[in-house]
């Protein structure tokens, strides 16, 4: 039986905005297919998604990597818009996977491992303090500048960078302003010089 046939047999369900579909760290009992709408990924605290990791837009599977590897969920998933979903039992999905050609299984597992590792790394960074995440991002994207100094050239809009960091654009601007006032960075616009990389490393590791 193909995945299309499995989905055809599954019941269509509707969920409202803000409904949580997955909880990080919890084992999967079924796998969710997003038929319509979009789902936000990140970290929930209380009743709110406070750190954003990304978005899944229909049509797409949600947490496919965890299902392939039979591992717990890497991040929280919350309905960003009204959505329609179908759920397939994890045991049924894994039975389907086991009868696929070995080459297909190996490719799926390799891709799943890479995606799962990236998701875990992203979640661990989201768990950092916002200022620590910003310092870590600057160090990660730094390149050698004049006189062996380090500099970061912004190739993305601040809104996109803020989304990667799971913070609001205003928060990113405030943190950069604070780092300038503390003498850890200097410059404005598209290029920032990292005046004190050592202090930034300490901040990122805090």
């Amino acid at each position: 039986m193909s995945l299309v046939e499995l989905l055809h047999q599954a019941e269509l369900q509707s969920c409202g905005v803000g409904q949580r579909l997955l909880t990080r760290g919890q084992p999967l009992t079924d796998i969710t297919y997003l038929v319509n709408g979009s789902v936000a990924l990140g970290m929930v605290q209380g009743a709110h998604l406070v750190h954003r990791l990304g978005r899944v837009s229909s049509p797409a599977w949600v947490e496919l990597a965890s299902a392939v590897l039979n591992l717990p969920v890497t991040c929280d998933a919350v309905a960003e818009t009204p959505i329609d979903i179908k759920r397939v039992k994890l045991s049924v999905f894994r039975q389907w996977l086991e009868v696929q050609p070995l080459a297909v299984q190996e490719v799926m597992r390799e891709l799943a491992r890479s995606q799962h590792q990236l998701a875990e790394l992203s979640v661990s960074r989201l768990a950092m303090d916002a200022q620590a995440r910003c310092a870590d991002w600057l160090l990660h994207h730094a390149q050698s500048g004049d006189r062996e100094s380090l500099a970061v050239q912004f190739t993305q809009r601040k809104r996109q960078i803020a989304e990667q960091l799971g913070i609001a654009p205003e928060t990113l601007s405030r943190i950069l302003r604070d780092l300038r006032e503390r003498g850890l960075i200097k410059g404005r616009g598209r290029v920032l010089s990292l005046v004190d990389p050592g202090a930034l490393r300490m901040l990122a590791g805090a």
Side-chain angles (χ1 to χ4, degrees), residues 62-78:
V62 183
E63 278 282 346
L64 180 61
S66 295
V68 171
L69 300 173
N70 200 20
L71 291 174
V73 175
T74 54
C75 58
D76 298 312
V78 178

Side-chain angles (χ1 to χ4, degrees), residues 75-88:
C75 58
D76 298 312
V78 178
E80 189 176 47
T81 66
I83 61 173
D84 295 317
I85 61 173
K86 288 190 173 186
R87 296 184 188 271
V88 175

Side-chain angles (χ1 to χ4, degrees), residues 21 27 47 53 77 87 110 121 134-135 144 146 162 170 190:
L21 303 179
L53 177 60
R87 296 184 188 271
E110 186 59 35
L121 177 61
C134 185
S144 296
D146 297 334
E170 297 79 9
R190 289 288 182 179

Side-chain angles (χ1 to χ4, degrees), residues 72-196:
V73 175
T74 54
C75 58
D76 298 312
V78 178
E80 189 176 47
T81 66
I83 61 173
D84 295 317
I85 61 173
K86 288 190 173 186
R87 296 184 188 271
V88 175
K89 289 292 184 183
L90 181 62
S91 58
V92 175
F93 171 79
R94 294 194 60 78
Q95 286 174 6
W96 170 85
L97 180 62
E98 292 301 324
V99 298
Q100 301 308 304
L102 287 177
V104 173
Q105 293 184 45
E106 290 174 2
V107 169
M108 289 189 68
R109 290 191 174 105
E110 186 59 35
L111 290 173
R113 277 191 288 269
S114 297
Q115 183 179 348
H116 201 270
Q117 289 171 358
L118 287 173
E120 287 186 324
L121 177 61
S122 298
V123 169
S124 67
R125 287 183 174 177
L126 284 177
M128 295 180 185
D129 173 82
Q131 197 170 63
R133 294 200 304 274
C134 185
D136 183 69
W137 188 93
L138 289 171
L139 290 166
H140 183 74
H141 290 81
Q143 299 178 352
S144 296
D146 297 334
R147 297 180 182 178
E148 299 183 353
S149 62
L150 292 177
V152 174
Q153 183 169 2
F154 288 88
T155 58
Q156 299 172 295
R157 295 181 181 276
K158 286 186 179 180
R159 175 182 57 78
Q160 295 172 306
I161 297 170
E163 185 169 290
Q164 294 174 29
L165 295 172
I167 58 179
E170 297 79 9
T171 302
L172 176 60
S173 296
R174 176 181 55 77
I175 291 172
L176 292 176
R177 182 172 62 251
D178 179 65
L179 294 177
R180 285 192 196 93
E181 292 174 352
R182 294 168 60 180
L184 303 186
I185 64 174
K186 69 178 180 180
R188 297 180 184 277
R190 289 288 182 179
V191 180
L192 290 178
S193 297
L194 307 190
V195 179
D196 194 341

